[in-house]
Amino acid sequence: LINLEGALTEEGYAVHKDNSFRGPTSYVNILTQNSVEAVTLANDHSMDYGQKGYDSTKAVLDTAKIPYVERDSSTVITTKNGLKVGVYGAVYYKMDVDQISADIRKLSKEADIVVFAPHWGYENSAQCNSDQEKIARAAIDAGADIVYGCHPHVLQAMEEYKSGVIWYSL
């Protein structure tokens, strides 16, 4: 599972912001050739090239048979061995802990393993914040097995919490 932080497209125009990221659609081969089995699109750069760029990214991933999770939603991926992995994606500017917990409880009934993939925290900060801790622990309490955080672009703490593992930022 990786955080695909940018669009795979030759379409669309960059939205007006400090940094807009994209790669050509052929870059999907980087994912397939390096054993990437799923991606999260729940981040602050998936829409950098508008809806056209976002739709292009999803179509490219579909063609390459790489499952993805979008923000505030979940997907269940069945591995070659039949293991069902549920992934729930969320983005820092809209994290309702009650909704996330309810969605994870529902997902845990459909999957053998549940991964909560939040895009959160402060960029370049090696310290997780209290909101990250609160939401991560609530996700584990609701049934997530793994919290796979990203966004700060630096490593943050890892902890074992109850029966789960939390990586605040990889």
Side-chain angles (χ1 to χ4, degrees):
L1 175 65
I2 66 160
N3 170 42
L4 184 59
E5 198 158 11
L8 295 177
T9 187
E10 285 83 26
E11 301 178 58
Y13 297 94
V15 297
H16 186 69
K17 60 195 272 189
D18 289 341
N19 298 299
S20 295
F21 303 132
R22 78 168 164 183
T25 57
S26 63
Y27 279 15
V28 75
N29 296 326
I30 295 169
L31 305 177
T32 57
Q33 292 170 2
N34 287 285
S35 301
V36 171
E37 296 179 31
V39 302
T40 175
L41 300 176
N43 61 60
D44 57 333
H45 288 287
S46 290
M47 295 289 291
D48 280 0
Y49 281 77
Q51 191 64 49
K52 278 188 176 183
Y54 189 66
D55 290 344
S56 170
T57 302
K58 292 190 302 181
V60 167
L61 293 169
D62 287 338
T63 299
K65 295 183 174 49
I66 298 174
Y68 55 86
V69 65
E70 298 177 86
R71 75 171 173 230
D72 304 322
S73 68
S74 62
T75 190
V76 176
I77 302 157
T78 303
T79 68
K80 293 175 188 173
N81 297 329
L83 183 70
K84 292 182 179 181
V85 180
V87 183
Y88 183 86
V91 181
Y92 61 84
Y93 46 80
K94 185 185 172 206
M95 286 201 187
D96 178 328
V97 71
D98 294 329
Q99 186 64 55
I100 289 167
S101 295
D103 290 344
I104 288 174
R105 277 192 293 278
K106 180 180 173 192
L107 183 59
S108 68
K109 294 176 184 173
E110 303 171 30
D112 302 311
I113 295 173
V114 174
V115 178
F116 174 49
H119 196 79
W120 61 5
Y122 301 116
E123 285 191 353
N124 302 312
S125 174
Q127 301 298 314
C128 60
N129 62 52
S130 60
D131 285 340
Q132 287 171 272
E133 288 178 358
K134 174 183 154 190
I135 296 168
R137 292 175 182 171
I140 298 290
D141 289 341
D145 299 289
I146 298 167
V147 175
Y148 169 81
C150 56
H151 178 66
H153 302 281
V154 295
L155 290 174
Q156 289 184 343
M158 179 194 111
E159 75 172 300
E160 291 182 32
Y161 174 75
K162 295 186 179 176
S163 61
V165 176
I166 301 168
W167 288 292
Y168 287 100
S169 176
L170 289 175

